[in-house]
Amino acid sequence: NNALTEIYNVPARNIYMNVPDYQKIESNRSQLFVIGRQINIAVTANWKIQGTTVEQAHADIFKDYVRNLQNYAHIDELKIEKDSKLTINGIEMYKFEGKLACHAETGNYELYTIGYSFVMDGIPCSIEGTVLDESQPENMINQVKDTVNAMAQTVRNTK
């Protein structure tokens, strides 16, 4: 079920989007929407960094994302397999899809990830989804892809 039944507002900013009704966990500068330790979708905003390009926003926010996901996965790098720039609701966004290279005591592994980075209300933001389940089931990949793509379409500056 990819229904985006709730509205999330980035604290103290005019940034709104529809989000799924998953368990909510606040992690530093991210609001995580999770299904157990299988699916994780994070909305991250860094109000310590002022206006910047979408590419720079992506680089800055990804550092926050790695920190905020450390309870779920130890991420070494993002391997982007495809990316593009697009405009959604008048907002320039950088879309990326690929794998997160991670390490654990049991060895290295990769997790599917998809995200959008953008600058809004003067600050860098991102919506990024990751399939945490190491077996990477196709239905979870599709759920993360569909949910993140749908969320990006709802980003706006009013409720």
Side-chain angles (χ1 to χ4, degrees), residues 87-153:
T87 301
I88 299 175
N89 304 334
I91 305 154
E92 186 186 29
M93 297 199 184
Y94 171 71
K95 178 184 181 183
F96 58 94
E97 191 173 2
K99 303 278 193 312
L100 296 172
C102 303
H103 68 271
E105 275 141 39
T106 50
N108 296 345
Y109 59 96
E110 293 189 339
L111 302 177
Y112 171 81
T113 195
I114 182 171
Y116 291 78
S117 302
F118 51 98
V119 178
M120 198 170 170
D121 206 6
I123 60 168
C125 305
S126 77
I127 302 167
E128 183 164 356
T130 298
V131 177
L132 296 169
D133 188 307
E134 283 184 43
S135 63
Q136 298 288 285
E138 189 150 350
N139 65 318
M140 288 188 199
I141 288 173
N142 290 333
Q143 183 174 346
V144 166
K145 188 183 299 194
D146 293 347
T147 303
V148 169
N149 283 329
M151 285 170 67
Q153 296 294 327

Side-chain angles (χ1 to χ4, degrees), residues 35-80:
I35 299 178
R37 295 185 82 82
Q38 296 179 306
I39 285 176
N40 185 308
I41 295 173
V43 177
T44 309
N46 190 332
W47 47 90
K48 292 186 172 174
I49 301 170
Q50 288 308 304
T52 170
T53 64
V54 287
E55 292 87 352
Q56 188 58 45
H58 170 70
D60 290 336
I61 282 287
F62 188 71
K63 290 183 195 126
D64 284 336
Y65 183 77
V66 168
R67 268 197 301 275
N68 295 341
L69 246 75
Q70 59 196 7
N71 293 339
Y72 294 90
H74 295 290
I75 301 165
D76 297 314
E77 66 167 321
L78 167 61
K79 298 179 175 176
I80 294 175

